Amino acid sequence: MNAMPDMLNFAVGPVMSDDDILAIGAEQVPYFRTAEFSEVMKENEKMLLELADAPADSRAVFLTTSGTGAMEAAVINTLDTTDKVLVVNGGSFGQRFCDLCSLHSIEHTAIELKFGTPLRHEDLEPYENAGYTAFLVNMNETSSGVLYDIELISQFCKRNNLFLIVDAVSAFLTDPFSLSASGAGIMLTGSQKALGCPPGISMLVLTPDALERVKRIESGSMYLDIKSALTNGERGQTPFTPAVSILLQIHRRLKKIIEAGGQKSETDRVRSIAEDLRTRIAHLPLTLFGSSPSHGVTAFQTPFGVSAHKIFEILKDEYNIWICPNGGQYKDTVFRIGHMGALTTDDNKRLVEALDDLHQRGLL
Ligand SMILES: *Cc1c(COP(=O)(O)O)cnc(C)c1O
């Protein structure tokens, strides 16, 4: 039997990791209530604040949860029943913020967007001076690959004095973002997307405005309580046993990104991978789905009669290449190709060769 070629992962999390990151995961997990680990965590916080371009006196916390844990932590620690919240809902992650608000009895209005379309000025207009206090957005709505105009949102929030929470789980380090310039209160992200580490850690960067809210609001949760994460973080610790290895992997990754030039050099690198893929794939009968694509992921529509989910399955089973299927009503018409993690233009080449092969076989 022929050996399968190495796995190649174009999903949108978990993504491919560099070899040195994988090597850390292969080591024994060290005990963490030590001065050495505290030092690592203090550096993690400092590096994350730098890469997010956070304003002075901001803090960052590292929670052992997936990205949704950070979304929920943001909602329960910085919003309460006195808030009135706007949520951009253009896909499954926007819907998740709505569900979290409902679950925690936070009054909210969803700005419903057609799947695959960007947020426009006209979508915000009805909500000017309308008594809202906060705004929730997934900077990249990963389910459609649409990148929202953070400048538009930022201006709207500044004008209306709204507390802005930016879920940048798939946008941090793929598309330019500055916590200072945006005026956002919180930027949150996860280990398994552009950071290129295994899933398990999510991070929140909190500005002084957010810290003020955290101090005032009772989260009602023990595990996701940001107050206790902040207090423990002052000495480089976490309230509970964290995913130690992933925090060591994140430490290595953040350090390497900073050494290579910081946020801009990393977003430039990801953009070049995304642009390379979009150019290479252009001759195939696939059309870009939606508009305003992020650099972290591109969604494609398959031609009439070709099941997108079937393409995903064949690539996985016969080529050991993983793209990202869509769900629900787009299951058979849309798939996504991620550009996050340890991918190269050679990897793009191998993917497009496999798609060429499917085309030749009459399957695409
Ligand atoms: C991946 C992702 C999340 C987090 O998903 P988890 O499965 O909980 O890690 C949240 N928001 C966005 C925009 C994402 O892309």
Side-chain angles (χ1 to χ4, degrees):
M1 219 177 106
N2 285 336
M4 276 288 246
D6 284 347
M7 178 204 198
L8 205 45
N9 185 3
F10 292 89
V12 291
V15 301
M16 307 270 286
S17 296
D18 286 323
D19 287 344
D20 57 341
I21 301 298
L22 293 176
I24 293 171
E27 283 169 20
Q28 299 285 358
V29 183
Y31 179 64
F32 65 102
R33 301 281 186 211
T34 62
E36 289 81 1
F37 189 69
S38 291
E39 197 48 42
V40 165
M41 287 305 290
K42 283 183 183 167
E43 286 179 14
N44 274 349
E45 180 173 2
K46 193 163 157 280
M47 291 190 288
L48 187 58
L49 292 171
E50 178 183 334
L51 287 169
D53 193 27
D57 301 321
S58 296
R59 292 285 312 275
V61 293
F62 295 76
L63 306 176
T64 296
T65 75
S66 80
T68 306
M71 292 170 75
E72 184 155 26
V75 168
I76 64 178
N77 283 274
T78 65
L79 302 174
D80 68 12
T81 51
T82 64
D83 280 298
K84 200 175 147 192
V85 183
L86 280 171
V87 188
V88 179
N89 186 3
S92 51
F93 292 102
Q95 184 60 47
R96 193 165 302 175
F97 263 143
C98 293
D99 294 345
L100 282 167
C101 287
S102 299
L103 179 64
H104 296 291
S105 308
I106 309 286
E107 186 184 347
H108 63 285
T109 305
I111 304 173
E112 303 281 354
L113 302 177
K114 185 167 172 286
F115 189 66
T117 62
L119 179 77
R120 302 155 312 162
H121 175 71
E122 305 87 276
D123 300 312
L124 294 175
E125 235 165 13
Y127 306 105
E128 298 274 0
N129 299 311
Y132 288 91
T133 60
F135 193 104
L136 302 183
V137 67
N138 320 95
M139 182 168 154
N140 172 14
E141 175 45 78
T142 320
S143 60
S144 68
V146 171
L147 183 75
Y148 295 129
D149 182 347
I150 207 73
E151 180 61 25
L152 174 75
I153 294 167
S154 157
Q155 292 305 328
F156 176 81
C157 289
K158 283 177 184 171
R159 203 161 55 237
N160 287 282
N161 196 25
L162 304 187
F163 180 70
L164 171 60
I165 297 177
V166 179
D167 165 2
V169 174
S170 66
F172 179 58
L173 298 173
T174 72
D175 287 281
F177 177 74
S178 161
L179 198 49
S180 296
S182 68
I186 294 182
M187 188 280 291
L188 62 94
T189 191
S191 54
Q192 82 274 27
K193 305 258 167 108
L195 267 177
C197 292
I201 293 286
S202 68
M203 292 142 269
L204 297 111
V205 182
L206 305 114
T207 64
D209 281 354
L211 295 169
E212 204 44 55
R213 278 180 170 260
V214 169
K215 207 189 278 176
R216 172 166 61 80
I217 290 169
E218 273 310 317
S219 70
S221 168
M222 178 189 278
Y223 192 71
L224 293 179
D225 186 34
I226 293 181
K227 269 196 246 340
S228 90
L230 286 166
T231 313
N232 279 269
E234 283 168 17
R235 55 184 179 100
Q237 284 292 323
T238 53
F240 317 106
T241 308
V244 177
S245 303
I246 301 172
L247 288 164
L248 296 173
Q249 290 167 312
I250 288 173
H251 185 258
R252 172 73 60 95
R253 258 295 269 169
L254 293 175
K255 203 164 181 176
K256 273 175 40 179
I257 292 169
I258 286 174
E259 281 167 6
Q263 192 201 106
K264 179 160 187 331
S265 71
E266 183 62 9
T267 53
D268 283 351
R269 190 191 65 76
V270 176
R271 190 186 64 221
S272 73
I273 296 291
E275 286 172 350
D276 174 79
L277 187 277
R278 289 170 194 167
T279 309
R280 271 179 209 278
I281 213 167
H283 64 281
L284 283 162
L286 293 164
T287 39
L288 269 184
F289 175 76
S291 45
S292 183
S294 66
H295 289 122
V297 53
T298 313
F300 290 98
Q301 190 156 9
T302 49
F304 184 76
V306 174
S307 161
H309 202 266
K310 190 87 196 149
I311 301 281
F312 157 73
E313 283 182 345
I314 299 173
L315 284 174
K316 170 171 72 68
D317 296 340
E318 297 180 25
Y319 300 83
N320 209 9
I321 297 177
W322 302 61
I323 58 172
C324 208
N326 268 55
Q329 67 179 115
Y330 295 94
K331 180 174 177 226
D332 285 316
T333 50
V334 176
F335 63 66
R336 291 163 295 160
I337 296 176
H339 315 297
M340 295 179 275
L343 288 169
T344 64
T345 53
D346 276 348
D347 297 331
N348 284 345
K349 186 160 169 268
R350 192 176 132 201
L351 169 60
V352 175
E353 279 167 5
L355 289 166
D356 279 338
D357 202 38
L358 293 189
H359 187 52
Q360 235 133 57
R361 292 166 62 191
L363 298 167
L364 169 63

